[in-house]
Structures are given as structure tokens and as C-alpha cells.
Amino acid sequence: MGRVGYDSLEGILRLSTAGEAQPDPFVVEVLTYHAALELEMDEMLARSLPRAEKLRSGGLGFQQKISVLNAAWQGDPESGDNLAKALVRFNDLRNSVAHGDSKKEVAASHKNLIKAVAQIDPNQREAPSPYELAISICGFMGDDPGGAAALRQMRQIDDLVNELLPELFRRPVKDASA
């Protein structure tokens, strides 16, 4: 129908092959938390703009939402700029994985996101996951001054459950009856 020589059968085969591949967990995590951050930006915009309902659903893309959120930011201007940079870098990572960039390019985008989030959460882990980076961004947007403490506590619980307890159970237990 498009009269450009596109072969529908070849296209269907390419789609089918792509659908059979196991999804990369990192890619799934990036796409999931990118979408979740977009919903949180919508929430911030709804609270920041007196007539936020005038922003048509689907009318703004991720980049435009970042710009409007930064323009409406009522906190310290530098912190708004740092938040915007972290959100842009998350979007860059999303675009990198969604468009099938090379592993080197994806790693560079992830590294840039980590650096940007370090500006708003200097206490992040050495190699944070997309989930942890999204949590840091979301925590930064909040007005709760205890948000940073809650994030630290979540990290400590994570260390306990995923690092300390497994290590404890790997050690041999001394027989108390001997």
C-alpha cells in the first residue's frame, strides 16, 4: 500500500523473531522506571501548576515535561536544574536502550545518569541500578526533609537482606553442645 517495496512478510518475520528473544532485565528495568518517573512528573506538574488540567493527556512528551517542571520548580533554582539534568539523563538512557544502541553507548548513558543523580543524591551506591536512580530522583522531588534518611534506611535494609544475611548463612555454625 505504501508503494515503496516494503515486504510485509519480511516485516512480520522480523517482529516475530524480536518477540521470541528473552528481554534484557536491564532494558526492562530502564523502561519500567522511565515510565514510572514520567507518572511522578505528571504528579509534580499537577501540584505545581494552577491549571494543570489544561495540559492535555499525552500532549507533552518526557522532554517537554522536564522543561515545564523545571520552569515551575519552586525550590532552589540550582536544585531544579540538577533535577532536570537527572531526568534528561534518565531519558537519554531510555532512548539508548529503546533504540538498540551498542553496549558501550548504553553503558555511557548509564554512567552519565549516575553522575547526574550524584548531584541530587551524593549518598548513592557505587553502581546504582535504574531502580535506585529512579528512587533517588523521586525522593529528591519531595518536600519531606526526612526523605534522604528514609532512602538511607532503605539502602541499609537492602544491604542487610542482600549482603549481610546471606553472608551470615554461608558461615559454618559452631555446635553449642560440644
Side-chain angles (χ1 to χ4, degrees):
M1 295 186 100
R3 298 180 188 209
V4 294
Y6 173 76
D7 187 327
S8 299
L9 181 56
E10 286 179 6
I12 291 168
L13 292 173
R14 284 189 295 269
L15 285 173
S16 297
T17 301
E20 292 170 358
Q22 281 291 88
D24 179 337
F26 180 79
V27 171
V28 171
E29 190 174 12
V30 169
L31 296 176
T32 298
Y33 293 111
H34 179 272
L37 278 173
E38 186 162 13
L39 293 174
E40 294 309 311
M41 287 194 305
D42 290 343
E43 181 67 25
M44 283 290 292
L45 290 170
R47 292 170 182 264
S48 301
L49 301 171
R51 296 175 359 120
E53 72 279 359
K54 296 298 182 184
L55 295 175
R56 292 178 292 119
S57 177
L60 293 178
F62 200 88
Q63 288 288 132
Q64 290 87 8
K65 289 178 185 181
I66 294 169
S67 295
V68 175
L69 182 60
N70 196 8
W73 186 256
Q74 303 203 15
D76 174 59
E78 184 179 349
S79 66
D81 292 341
N82 287 338
L83 172 62
K85 185 174 183 178
L87 289 166
V88 166
R89 294 293 176 247
F90 210 109
N91 198 47
D92 291 345
L93 177 59
R94 178 261 176 218
N95 289 341
S96 189
V97 301
H99 296 282
D101 289 353
S102 71
K103 288 186 183 225
K104 185 178 179 180
E105 291 168 313
V106 170
S109 291
H110 189 213
K111 185 177 179 180
N112 289 337
L113 172 59
I114 291 169
K115 285 181 186 176
V117 173
Q119 296 299 307
I120 62 174
D121 182 6
N123 297 316
Q124 69 182 341
R125 289 178 183 270
E126 187 175 321
S129 69
Y131 167 71
E132 292 169 315
L133 294 164
I135 289 291
S136 291
I137 291 169
C138 190
F140 184 79
M141 290 191 300
D143 293 328
D144 178 14
L151 291 172
R152 276 194 302 278
Q153 289 173 340
M154 287 172 54
R155 287 187 191 111
Q156 290 170 341
I157 291 169
D158 182 62
D159 286 340
L160 175 67
V161 170
N162 294 309
E163 303 291 333
L164 298 174
L165 286 177
E167 179 60 31
L168 178 67
F169 288 116
R170 281 192 284 272
R171 293 185 198 156
V173 177
K174 295 182 182 179
D175 186 1
S177 63

